[in-house]
Amino acid sequence: MALLSVRGLGVRYGNDVHALEGVDLDLDAGERLAIIGESGSGKSTLARAIAGLLPPAAKVEGSISWPELGRAAQNGRDIGFVFQDPASSLDPVMTVGDQVAEVAHVNLDMAWPAARRLAVELLDRVKLPEPQATAKAYPHQLSGGQKQRVAIAAAIVAGPRLLIADEATSALDTIVQAEIVSLIRGLADEDGMALLFVSHDIALAANLADTIAVFRHGRLVETGAAEPLIAAPASHYTRALLDAYLGLDA
Ligand SMILES: Nc1ncnc2c1ncn2[C@@H]1O[C@H](COP(=O)(O)OP(=O)(O)OP(=O)(O)O)[C@@H](O)[C@H]1O
Ligand SMILES: [Mg+2]
């Protein structure tokens, strides 16, 4: 039984912007799916639709269901979401420990002392040095990579079944990017969490994912196991996307 089942999903922001059209997609428990496609192809719209984070003005058709849960998934509980820019997803005037603790307090109804202890454990889990001391730091005292680790800690507070990372490593330099990807991969393995990983970086996506889904103009172009899809894509569009990517990389 699939964890997530998306059927005929369409999203429009205005009358003429079809950000997504007719998208069918399944995700199994523990499966790692990478979403690739050019800018504006609807990747973030898909990620947000799944997490229930679309702006109120968005018009949605089709269905997003969670067969394995048997109910709608809740962002912050069943789903953890990591955004591109850790600086803007964190509150500048609250210590990072309290920001992680607040998620446990609000989403899990945990009393503050227990929430604070859990926050320190999570900061340790995302491999921040000296988690006790780091918990008392403010975001501006941390590097970009460290801030993204805090954002990941906040996303996994409730032990979600699915972690969505939308360009979560794009703002970081290459070495830090690799560290964060390996952290995300390790956490997913340990907890059996499914991953939905959105990235411009096809090599990174191929490396991390079991399955790749290619989007163009809001439509799913093709989907399949990562390695064969990269080695021999079925669609001309994917071929062109790979060629452009390899060209850029050279
Ligand atoms: N809040 C919004 N209001 C209006 N249009 C939007 C909104 N968000 C996205 N769009 C439009 O929907 C389409 C899909 O955008 P989306 O952000 O999902 O693409 P993306 O694949 O994530 O692109 P990128 O790689 O640049 O992040 C684009 O045409 C975009 O301009
Ligand atoms: Mg995007």
Side-chain angles (χ1 to χ4, degrees):
M1 194 186 286
L3 174 66
L4 164 70
S5 174
V6 174
R7 289 292 174 272
L9 181 67
V11 176
R12 278 182 302 148
Y13 289 107
N15 283 331
D16 30 81
V17 185
H18 279 268
L20 285 180
E21 253 184 301
V23 175
D24 294 333
L25 202 70
D26 283 321
L27 189 67
D28 286 332
E31 183 179 352
R32 295 191 289 245
L33 170 70
I35 307 287
I36 63 172
E38 65 201 82
S39 185
S41 56
K43 305 182 296 296
S44 295
T45 300
L46 176 68
R48 285 170 180 274
I50 290 169
L53 294 175
L54 287 173
K59 297 184 192 73
V60 182
E61 59 185 41
S63 71
I64 296 173
S65 63
W66 301 82
E68 230 192 76
L69 296 181
R71 57 174 170 80
Q74 204 182 320
N75 187 45
R77 257 186 181 278
D78 311 292
I79 306 169
F81 203 108
V82 185
F83 295 89
Q84 171 164 356
D85 182 5
S88 64
S89 65
L90 296 176
D91 182 340
V93 297
M94 195 177 192
T95 65
V96 297
D98 278 0
Q99 297 191 46
V100 177
E102 191 182 37
V103 182
H105 179 64
V106 173
N107 291 4
L108 300 181
D109 242 347
M110 212 179 253
W112 269 104
R116 287 211 169 95
R117 281 196 298 276
L118 177 62
V120 172
E121 278 170 32
L122 285 164
L123 295 180
D124 189 35
R125 249 200 106 189
V126 297
K127 303 190 175 66
L128 280 161
E130 300 179 55
Q132 289 275 10
T134 304
K136 298 193 180 76
Y138 289 89
H140 76 267
Q141 296 172 295
L142 303 180
S143 70
Q146 288 173 329
K147 281 193 276 249
Q148 199 57 299
R149 286 176 193 271
V150 173
I152 291 168
I156 62 166
V157 165
R161 300 294 309 279
L162 170 64
L163 185 68
I164 300 180
D166 186 0
E167 305 278 5
T169 62
S170 307
L172 307 169
D173 70 53
T174 317
I175 293 173
V176 179
Q177 211 173 59
E179 289 169 0
I180 297 289
V181 167
S182 122
L183 172 70
I184 289 177
R185 185 181 196 140
L187 292 170
D189 274 349
E190 286 162 26
D191 293 357
M193 243 181 341
L195 275 184
L196 194 150
F197 189 83
V198 177
S199 182
H200 275 102
D201 189 330
I202 296 176
L204 204 77
N207 188 8
L208 183 84
D210 307 310
T211 315
I212 294 185
V214 185
F215 278 78
R216 183 189 195 193
H217 299 331
R219 290 184 172 274
L220 181 59
V221 174
E222 67 176 299
T223 181
E227 274 179 37
L229 187 144
I230 296 288
S235 107
H236 292 301
Y237 176 70
T238 307
R239 179 80 269 155
L241 192 70
L242 290 174
D243 288 347
Y245 175 75
L246 293 171
L248 278 178
D249 217 29

